[in-house]
Amino acid sequence: MVQDNTDNWLLRVRGLTKIYGDPISNSIAYTGPKFGSNICPETDAIVACAEIDFDLYPGEVLGVVGESGSGKSTLVQLLYFDGEATGGEVYFRSFEDGDTNILRVTNQKKRYLRNHLMGMVYQNPRDGLNFKFSAGGNIAEKLLMANEFNVGRIRNRASSLLTQTEVPVERMDNAPATFSGGMQQRVQISKAIANNPPLIFLDEVTTGLDVSVQAKVLDLIRGLQQDLGISMIVVSHDLSVIRMLTDRTMVLKNGRIVESGLTDQILQDPQHAYTQLLVSSLL
Amino acid sequence: MKHFLEVRNLSKNFLLHILNDKHIPALEDISFSMDQGEIIGLTGKSGSGKSSLMKCVYRTYLASGESMVYDSSTFGPIDLIEATEHQILRIRKEEMTYCSQFLNVIPRVPAVEIVAESLLVKGVAENEAFRRSREFLERLGLPAELWDAYPSTFSGGEQQRINVARSIISQPRFLLIDEPTASLDQKTKDVVIEAILEMKRSGTSVILITHDEYTLTKLADRELKLVGGRICEAEAATA
Ligand SMILES: Nc1ncnc2c1ncn2[C@@H]1O[C@H](COP(=O)(O)OP(=O)(O)OP(=O)(O)O)[C@@H](O)[C@H]1O
Ligand SMILES: Nc1ncnc2c1ncn2[C@@H]1O[C@H](COP(=O)(O)OP(=O)(O)OP(=O)(O)O)[C@@H](O)[C@H]1O
Ligand SMILES: [Mg+2]
Ligand SMILES: [Mg+2]
């Protein structure tokens, strides 16, 4: 039988772990789905996520689902260098051909990775946008960080990005605080893709938006995936978002992956009790 | 001889943890093989396991059993029970299409675009993809006013036509199709049957689920009848 071309991954994650509190305790052994908690009973350390393993392939959209507090945001934030991992290894094909554990590179290289090769859309727009700058200013900031200093080119790029994400260009010089939630998410998306990164993270992009706005944001993301072929990790507790956007899905509980698989398989033939419960609420 | 698909002793058990670990044995000890260009008609009463078997082949359901070897054009012979998720995704993209009993699409995508998308992912140019999609919808008798409308408001038969159109327009190498003619009138039924026969002539292999005797007779080279999750004895002998 033939083997998968296992060297073809874009991102390879092994043993990714984040513990708040005493990391030398046995907190990993005493937390997780078996215990129904991510808090170590001995030390009160919080195991936000532990022993996360997965590969992401070029052009792939990977979903992350799970209940509140299961570690979804932590997972993507660690990959985007918001906060430092307690342990684990991450390899990224677009950086030094995937030979280097990017969790252990210099801060300068981490900035390079963030600014040139990755994008993030945060659960809360206030984490992703600088509310003191205009919408255009926020995008300009991201372009500047990737060493684009030409004012004309920056303005052109910002306005084309806003057009692409259907933010009225005449609002370019307005502050995000004056935007609706859906528009703020669109500006975040513009910013995330500004430097044409091969990989972006989307954390609950549609949460809190009203249904018709949600639908349009989902359409936008699907379009980006189809037209630009960007790889994405999509975090959502909403299974219909996962169904619409992703090829494969990982299910998180108490900081661990309890199950992963093809998205249609996860939704129609879930194996783990927790996933069965999650899915039964959808049907 | 190497078969297009060879299924050996396949079983599917659902274990429902949230219902006190209830077991639902959907398929038991299924063995059959099919060759390239063959159309297998899967029949049996409601609940006999037809859709389950199809979903096991597509890997929407995780099956157990000895093996399910598919002769892939990309990978060569590959056991679909053990293949990696990425291999399955690649086979789905390039070789195998699943057409469910009911349309299940992204809301707010117009009918013609849903159909065109299956050509676009195969690299057909946009103009060409849309032209062929309109042509095909016309052939299926879908009123032109509906081409640019959203299928969520369509009638059952109209949705069915979109569903069938998007799965057969790209001429997959392996087609899994669940009740394609169920809610169609005779004329449209004949168009669908003819389109599937055209594909067969160009080498497509098909597993077809149908309750409709007419569709079965016109299309199937061989019938595989399921009774209570098992292949009916008489059929197993001829297979
Ligand atoms: N800075 C922090 N200090 C201490 N604990 C934290 C910190 N950040 C997150 N946690 C804890 O880590 C766990 C995982 O949090 P995370 O934000 O990743 O959850 P989530 O799955 O994204 O949840 P939600 O769906 O509610 O957004 C939670 O128990 C949370 O309380
Ligand atoms: N996802 C699932 N989870 C649990 N049980 C399932 C699932 N899918 C099918 N089953 C069970 O497996 C058995 C076979 O169902 P299946 O859908 O394969 O029947 P079918 O022959 O396609 O019937 P129909 O003609 O009504 O479509 C049934 O008892 C059904 O309840
Ligand atoms: Mg979160
Ligand atoms: Mg069925």
Side-chain angles (χ1 to χ4, degrees), chain A residues 1-4 55 57 60 215-216 218-219 222 226 243-244 247-248 260-262 264-265 268-269 271-273 276-277 280, chain B residues 12 14-18 55 58-62 69 75 77-79 84-89 92 104 106-109 117:
Chain A
M1 297 278 153
V2 265
Q3 287 299 304
D4 199 355
D55 290 338
Y57 281 64
E60 184 178 40
K216 289 193 182 140
L218 291 177
D219 286 348
R222 264 170 41 83
Q226 278 165 4
R243 169 158 60 194
M244 223 171 278
D247 306 310
R248 290 191 306 136
S260 68
L262 298 168
D264 55 324
Q265 181 255 301
Q268 295 186 49
D269 188 15
Q271 306 291 304
H272 192 277
Q276 292 183 356
L277 191 67
S280 68
Chain B
K12 177 62 195 170
F14 292 98
L15 174 56
L16 304 181
H17 297 288
I18 52 172
K55 287 181 182 179
Y58 197 61
R59 257 278 284 274
T60 297
Y61 289 171
L62 295 171
V69 178
F75 299 105
I78 181 167
D79 187 346
T84 67
E85 287 158 15
H86 292 101
Q87 288 171 325
I88 297 289
L89 285 172
R92 286 180 178 186
N104 184 4
I106 316 288
R108 299 164 324 279
V109 181
E117 213 166 89

